[in-house]
Amino acid sequence: MSCPACFLGAIHTGTPTGITTTLHNLPTYISLPPSPSVSKSTIILLTDAFGFNLPNSLLLADHYAVATGFRVLVPSWIPGGGVPLSTLSLMETMTTPVTPFYSILSHLKRLWAFVRVLTIVLPFAIRIRPAPKSILEFARAVKADLKEEGEGGRLGVAGICVGGMYATRLCVESAVEGGEEKLVDAQFCAHPAGLKLPGDVLEAVKRVPYSFAIGDRDFLKVERVEELQAALRREVGSEEEASYEVRVYRGVGHGFAVRASKEKKEEEEPAEEAARQAVEWFKRYL
């Protein structure tokens, strides 16, 4: 489900401007647009493995709220909470080649980091498999709220890394158990981890306007992405004919949309473009 790149990247500076409260039984970060919106639509953002421990996702939610004019909800969906920020430095140590190769101390540091990462990542993987029921329950409750408000509010879902897998799978769910009305009205995911391709995406695209962002250096190889694009064209038509898009960003790997280094132009520019991709998609369909 996860790879080393799921736990690598930069911590962004800044102070999230929203509030955290309990909503539908989950701690939830709520980001509102700076001025009243004419739309009652809402976006649910499912974070990467770090959850609330990493400010990046909350800052991204603030950006979505400002740029779209919609309310953005970030539920703390990971049972037991996200992985600690120390995982970033541990994974960096574990994946950095030893130079010089004969440095015994460096090899011992890598071994220690490897053991520590296992004690963090394995319990995390167990906690999120199978998919926490709270994700579907939360989304259905938010959808019900929008219907009660009765002002045409629609529900968008965005997912980052492992959150992208669950955002994709929400696309095939109904607004109420056993019902026919779809739960999600538009979806965006960036470098999802754990998807079954092309099946998961095909099923999502057949029901929901679906936007997908991936780097050409992702652990999901370009060849697999091309196979996905071919399957989509074969099953549902071209991007011009159907409501989906698959964008490949050059020169970046897994995690770029949320953990890119702002000090590296080659990472920051694709991250900003992926954020624009999400904003434009949601504004189009919500």
Side-chain angles (χ1 to χ4, degrees):
M1 177 177 290
S2 301
C3 72
C6 290
F7 307 96
L8 287 168
I11 301 173
H12 296 169
T13 58
T15 302
T17 58
I19 62 170
T20 300
T21 186
T22 298
L23 182 65
H24 301 307
N25 301 315
L26 286 180
T28 303
Y29 177 80
I30 302 175
S31 185
L32 300 175
S35 57
S37 173
V38 295
S39 172
K40 296 299 182 182
S41 292
T42 291
I43 299 168
I44 297 173
L45 172 60
L46 299 179
T47 69
D48 62 6
F50 292 92
F52 282 13
N53 294 330
L54 189 69
N56 303 19
S57 293
L58 307 186
L59 293 169
L60 183 61
D62 289 344
H63 174 75
Y64 284 174
V66 171
T68 64
F70 306 144
R71 179 180 65 159
V72 182
L73 307 177
V74 188
S76 181
W77 66 270
I78 303 170
V83 300
L85 291 184
S86 60
T87 312
L88 289 168
S89 58
L90 289 170
M91 190 63 75
E92 186 71 31
T93 299
M94 193 184 92
T95 57
T96 300
V98 173
T99 304
F101 182 76
Y102 53 78
S103 173
I104 295 176
L105 179 59
S106 295
H107 281 292
L108 289 175
K109 287 181 178 179
R110 287 189 73 189
L111 178 60
W112 175 82
F114 174 74
V115 173
R116 286 286 295 117
V117 165
L118 284 182
T119 65
I120 294 170
V121 172
L122 290 181
F124 166 77
I126 293 171
R127 293 200 306 272
I128 64 171
R129 282 185 80 113
K133 292 181 179 179
S134 59
I135 297 176
L136 177 57
E137 292 170 352
F138 181 87
R140 281 178 169 166
V142 173
K143 182 78 168 187
D145 289 345
L146 292 172
K147 291 188 68 176
E148 287 183 7
E149 292 174 2
E151 297 185 32
R154 306 184 116 197
L155 180 62
V157 179
I160 308 295
C161 295
V162 67
M165 173 177 64
Y166 294 128
T168 295
R169 292 179 179 172
L170 283 178
C171 293
V172 302
E173 298 289 349
S174 57
V176 296
E177 186 174 359
E180 295 185 359
E181 180 187 1
K182 65 184 180 181
L183 172 62
V184 175
D185 295 297
Q187 191 271 181
F188 167 82
C189 65
H191 38 79
L195 282 180
K196 296 178 181 179
L197 297 179
D200 283 350
V201 175
L202 281 171
E203 291 303 311
V205 168
K206 290 175 181 178
R207 288 179 59 89
V208 172
Y210 186 91
S211 182
F212 184 104
I214 192 84
D216 65 350
R217 297 180 182 177
D218 196 273
F219 66 83
L220 181 62
K221 301 300 183 184
V222 173
E223 292 78 14
R224 294 289 310 284
V225 177
E226 291 174 346
E227 291 172 1
L228 169 63
Q229 291 172 307
L232 286 166
R233 288 191 296 269
R234 184 172 60 252
E235 296 288 333
V236 299
S238 68
E239 291 189 9
E240 292 74 21
E241 297 169 325
S243 299
Y244 76 88
E245 63 179 1
V246 177
R247 294 193 189 180
V248 180
Y249 290 84
R250 304 299 173 186
V252 288
H254 191 75
F256 80 94
V258 71
R259 297 188 302 276
S261 172
K262 292 185 177 294
E263 298 178 356
K264 298 178 180 178
K265 184 177 180 180
E266 66 274 18
E267 293 184 14
E268 178 61 6
E269 287 186 351
E272 291 176 348
E273 181 57 33
R276 282 192 291 272
Q277 176 183 343
V279 166
E280 290 170 2
W281 195 255
F282 287 130
K283 289 177 70 175
R284 180 178 177 182
Y285 288 101
L286 299 184

